[in-house]
Amino acid sequence: MIALPGGTFRMGTDDEDGFPEDHEGPVREVTVAPFRISAYCVSNARFSEFVEATGYRTDAEQFGWSYVFAKFLPGRLRKVAPRPRRTPWWCGVPGAYWRCPEGPESDLEGRWDHPVVHISWHDANAYCQWAGGRLPTEAEWEYAARGGLDQARYPWGDELTPGGEHRCNIWQGRFPVHDTAEDGYAGTAPVDAYLPNGHGLYNTSGNVWEWCADLFAEGGTERSMRGGSYLCHESYCNRYRVAARTSNTPDSSSGNLGFRCAADV
């Protein structure tokens, strides 16, 4: 883990490209105490160690299914899998869970260093406790993700592809029909892909959504998620911006949802 000194920073954004319903703004000064946070999202290899040590079964395993992006499925499975009306690119796949990300016929060969996915908030919280840590608060996550920059749109600055260089794993092309994978990946990338930010954190934009400790809204039940994922695209969900946020129920899981750990100093 990386030890960060904490301090006061400007959290949130008033960016016109933001989502008012997500309450990204207004920009406000927030103070965080010193803390530690992982440079990487938890990988499949690390999560496997947890499961082998504890026998833990994820929510997806207990429910018997999880959401998989439709384009990753064979046609016969894609045709019969149920889909949410508002997001029909997701398919509910029986037998999909962290070890079989696209369902029973898939495995983790070549992806042990990729972020573990199909992880609910409950699962992430259980892992962090086992590892001697906890999930980061939203304020800690954003402070760390900004890498020391003040109000920059991304962890590296304001330009998405400086000098034409891809700095994160998001969707290129026409969503959700065709991903050109110009950034090098269709689906998840290794947890240490691309350059780290100024604090030494990797992939705080794109790759997978990351659970945070907080409730998304006061009095609600959903938990906050940060960072965007490989499915984010400017035409639909530009939430790979460092101030962006969204939420999900704590037992939800999908093929683009993971986490990283934090800890007190």
Side-chain angles (χ1 to χ4, degrees):
M1 284 191 169
I2 295 171
L4 297 178
T8 300
F9 76 106
R10 293 202 296 165
M11 183 174 177
T13 185
D14 296 321
D15 193 326
E16 63 181 12
D17 287 339
F19 293 87
E21 65 272 23
D22 290 345
H23 303 289
E24 296 179 11
V27 175
R28 65 275 188 197
E29 287 193 345
V30 174
T31 300
V32 295
F35 67 103
R36 294 181 294 145
I37 190 166
S38 177
Y40 314 103
C41 282
V42 173
S43 67
N44 287 309
R46 292 290 189 188
F47 198 78
S48 178
E49 294 174 0
F50 162 59
V51 170
E52 290 174 7
T54 64
Y56 184 84
R57 296 182 71 242
T58 61
D59 278 338
E61 291 171 88
Q62 296 183 62
F63 289 138
W65 67 278
S66 187
Y67 282 116
V68 179
F69 183 60
K71 292 290 186 179
F72 295 162
L73 297 173
R76 56 180 175 76
L77 185 54
R78 193 163 60 240
K79 290 178 181 178
V80 299
R83 306 187 186 205
R85 181 176 298 178
R86 292 183 60 187
T87 54
W89 47 85
W90 286 113
C91 294
V93 178
Y97 73 111
W98 73 272
R99 197 182 289 274
C100 299
E102 293 80 47
E105 297 179 11
S106 64
D107 57 37
L108 296 176
E109 183 177 357
R111 292 188 284 184
W112 288 102
D113 61 345
H114 288 221
V116 64
V117 293
H118 297 292
I119 298 297
S120 72
W121 186 91
H122 295 142
D123 304 333
N125 192 50
Y127 175 97
C128 288
Q129 290 182 357
W130 170 80
R134 57 176 174 77
L135 287 169
T137 66
E138 276 200 81
E140 289 172 337
W141 190 95
E142 186 170 327
Y143 171 88
R146 288 191 175 280
L149 301 179
D150 177 48
Q151 284 293 295
R153 179 174 278 197
Y154 309 112
W156 54 85
D158 290 323
E159 188 177 350
L160 180 60
T161 54
E165 178 185 7
H166 289 282
R167 297 288 185 91
C168 64
N169 178 20
I170 57 176
W171 188 281
Q172 292 91 44
R174 187 161 65 94
F175 183 84
V177 178
H178 178 60
D179 182 5
T180 63
E182 291 175 11
D183 56 26
Y185 302 96
T188 57
V191 296
D192 61 352
Y194 307 102
L195 296 171
N197 72 4
H199 286 326
L201 276 70
Y202 290 78
N203 291 307
T204 51
S205 280
N207 213 21
V208 295
W209 282 103
E210 301 180 24
W211 287 111
C212 289
D214 310 53
L215 291 170
F216 185 69
E218 186 176 352
T221 58
E222 294 195 347
R223 296 286 178 168
S224 297
M225 309 189 309
R226 289 298 202 113
S229 82
Y230 60 84
L231 293 178
C232 283
H233 185 264
E234 62 181 356
S235 67
Y236 172 73
C237 173
N238 67 0
R239 291 183 176 92
Y240 42 84
R241 294 170 295 105
V242 74
R245 59 197 298 261
T246 193
S247 66
N248 216 328
T249 57
D251 58 358
S252 293
S253 65
S254 63
N256 66 341
L257 183 48
F259 68 106
R260 77 179 68 213
C261 293
D264 297 324
V265 172

